[in-house]
Amino acid sequence: MIPHSVPRVLRLGPARLTAGLDHTRRLDLPAHRTLHGDQVPRTLDDIIAQVEEVDMRGRGGAAFPFARKLRAVSDAAGSGECVVLVNGAEGEPASSKDAMLLVRNPHLVLDGAVLAAEALNAREVVVATVAGEVAESSITAAVAERRAANVAGAAESRIGIRVVGLQERFISGEGGALVRAVNGLEPVPPGRKRRASTSGVDGLPTLLSNTETYAQLAVLAELGAEQYAKVGTSREPGTVLLTVSGGAANPAVVEAPTGTRLIDVLDVCESEIGDGVLIGGYHGAWLDSRTAMSAIVSREGMKQAGGSLGAGIVVPLGESTCPVGEAARVAAYLAAQSSGQCGPCRLGLPDVARGLTALADGTGSIDAVRRSVRAVERRGACFHPDGTARFVLSSLDAFEEDIALHLEHGSCGRPVRGVLPLPEREDEPEYRLDVDWTRCQGHGLCAHLLPEFVTLDDYGFPSFKTVPGWMLKEANRAVDMCPALALRLAEAG
């Protein structure tokens, strides 16, 4: 994984989002203004016209048309208040592009956000990012710089800018979870889909988009639509930020025009494709070496290759690590990152992860993993079960030959080197369930409430597995509902 302190930047083609970063770690306000000039306010109609001319899409993964978001917020707000929300909470371990922008080019992001806020007559701009990271410090310092300089006069004195630090979790960047976190609620996706454009921060219509999207808006406003579209493809003009990590010898955030060959991106990062390239992150899909060699960096190009550009995550696996073991590591991580709100996440994802781990150990079966996946697909309360299912099914297809070796010999002969980036350490505590055997009467209710962590013997008496922190609410429920009051919950030592 690329360190989030000062992410390395490489480029193919002209510098736009990364302009000025060749010789400086961070562009402060004077350097930013020297390079990009003073921001000129624009009307909402002008911004929408430019955005539509280049068909600008969100860069957080869903590729939603940005002009539609602008219109939806404007229509919902009417003459009332609204909020502009910058999603800088990269919960995806394999992505560093948003952190790069917030750390090294924060004023470009703020220019785009303030431009949208002024056009929408917004109450404030909120920048949400991971608490305690360098990105939070950098964007906070950038806000202070602008206040001291009174940038854009009335616009920034009227529109407040605040930074909100969030807990780093895989699901923290999901739109509904982000809005809940900013509103002081538990940062989990809401069970019922709610559009931020109608009810977001403080219940106000909210323009919610990714960090890179706002930086792209600032570049578009600076260059104009015609100049902006001089690079990239005709259907998807401009550049895109890609985070290349995994087996790359030179991991970096790469700025490249759409239409660039994926192999050229891999070459500049000194990457060997090996057993495949993961595109779109841990809710994405694998491309085999032949497909990766001919794939084009664009939404359309990745779709034709069988993947999805998503948030621009590119993870070459190389040849030195066990691909089945790597996939099993990620599946276990994704299971642990569940918000625990619905059965497919809370119960199904651990089952999927155990099935893939069994394959890596040479004791499982592909059919068992596929059955587990079918139990979670299209049944979750948010995107997480379906995204995890997509990753696991793609792994089964991409690593079919290696899986056969594991099932026949118990291993493919290669160690699991941890090439796929994951957080170094999970801070969430683990818990254990203790039972008072003088009280336990073998009702079995605890196994019904926590089937993944409690098993019953032939007489109905329980034995327990360690309970992860994300299941604390359910574990406490099992304790409270024990008819014999025989359960206790303690932090695992």
Side-chain angles (χ1 to χ4, degrees), residues 79-445:
S79 59
E81 292 184 319
C82 63
V83 174
V84 170
L85 177 56
V86 181
N87 186 351
E90 274 178 321
E92 167 72 66
S95 180
S96 293
K97 70 181 181 71
D98 290 340
M100 184 280 291
L101 287 170
L102 294 175
V103 169
R104 304 193 62 184
N105 208 354
H107 290 287
L108 192 66
V109 178
L110 291 178
D111 270 0
V114 170
L115 185 70
E118 176 69 4
L120 287 166
N121 196 31
R123 183 188 73 183
E124 65 174 343
V125 170
V126 179
V127 183
T129 187
V130 177
E133 294 285 351
V134 178
E136 183 187 30
S137 300
S138 175
I139 195 68
T140 300
V143 173
E145 288 180 79
R146 295 165 87 91
R147 286 173 180 161
N150 193 23
V151 175
E156 297 217 10
S157 61
R158 182 182 63 80
I159 300 171
I161 307 176
R162 63 185 172 107
V163 179
V164 178
L166 308 177
Q167 177 188 5
E168 184 173 21
R169 287 192 64 188
F170 188 85
I171 60 172
S172 61
E174 191 272 340
L178 188 79
V179 169
R180 285 176 56 86
V182 172
N183 286 336
L185 302 173
E186 186 179 5
V188 296
R192 179 177 297 178
K193 179 70 175 178
R194 299 182 64 183
R195 294 189 181 278
S197 58
T198 56
S199 179
V201 175
D202 295 338
L204 296 174
T206 299
L207 179 67
L208 167 58
S209 207
N210 168 264
T211 300
E212 184 190 343
T213 310
Y214 288 107
Q216 292 280 3
L217 179 62
V219 170
L220 174 61
E222 177 187 347
L223 298 178
E226 183 178 353
Q227 185 70 19
Y228 183 93
K230 284 189 175 180
V231 301
T233 68
S234 59
R235 298 185 64 175
E236 301 175 38
T239 64
V240 62
L241 292 180
L242 306 168
T243 306
V244 185
S245 60
N250 189 23
V253 174
V254 180
E255 183 176 17
T258 56
T260 300
R261 298 189 309 162
L262 177 61
I263 190 61
D264 292 335
V265 175
L266 295 172
D267 284 346
V268 78
C269 294
E270 301 176 40
S271 307
E272 290 187 4
I273 297 173
D275 290 286
V277 180
L278 182 64
I279 300 295
Y282 294 155
H283 282 173
W286 292 95
L287 304 184
D288 60 32
S289 57
R290 178 180 296 181
T291 304
M293 290 287 288
S294 60
I296 299 299
V297 175
S298 67
R299 296 190 307 274
E300 184 178 12
M302 286 302 165
K303 184 178 180 179
Q304 291 176 352
S308 172
L309 185 60
I313 296 167
V314 179
V315 190
L317 192 57
E319 297 179 341
S320 66
T321 191
C322 168
V324 185
E326 293 283 353
R329 287 176 59 243
V330 173
Y333 163 76
L334 293 173
Q337 289 298 299
S338 162
S339 61
Q341 294 188 108
C342 65
C345 250
R346 184 171 64 87
L347 306 177
L349 293 189
D351 195 34
V352 172
R354 281 199 303 272
L356 202 54
T357 299
L359 282 181
D361 293 339
T363 59
S365 78
I366 294 176
D367 287 343
V369 177
R370 291 189 184 277
R371 283 196 300 271
S372 297
V373 169
R374 285 196 295 269
V376 304
E377 281 185 301
R378 296 182 295 277
R379 298 184 180 184
C382 71
F383 68 98
H384 191 50
D386 284 349
T388 302
R390 185 181 306 114
F391 170 83
V392 171
L393 291 176
S394 178
S395 299
L396 294 181
D397 293 337
F399 308 135
E400 184 177 4
E401 293 181 4
D402 286 274
I403 291 172
L405 290 175
H406 280 257
L407 293 178
E408 183 177 356
H409 303 292
S411 169
C412 64
R414 289 176 287 181
V416 181
R417 299 186 182 277
V419 169
L420 298 184
L422 290 177
E424 293 183 3
R425 179 179 178 273
E426 290 296 311
D427 295 326
E428 278 191 327
E430 294 184 323
Y431 298 88
R432 71 173 190 273
L433 285 164
D434 295 327
V435 63
D436 182 347
W437 294 111
T438 64
R439 289 177 175 268
C440 182
Q441 299 174 18
H443 292 96
L445 181 60

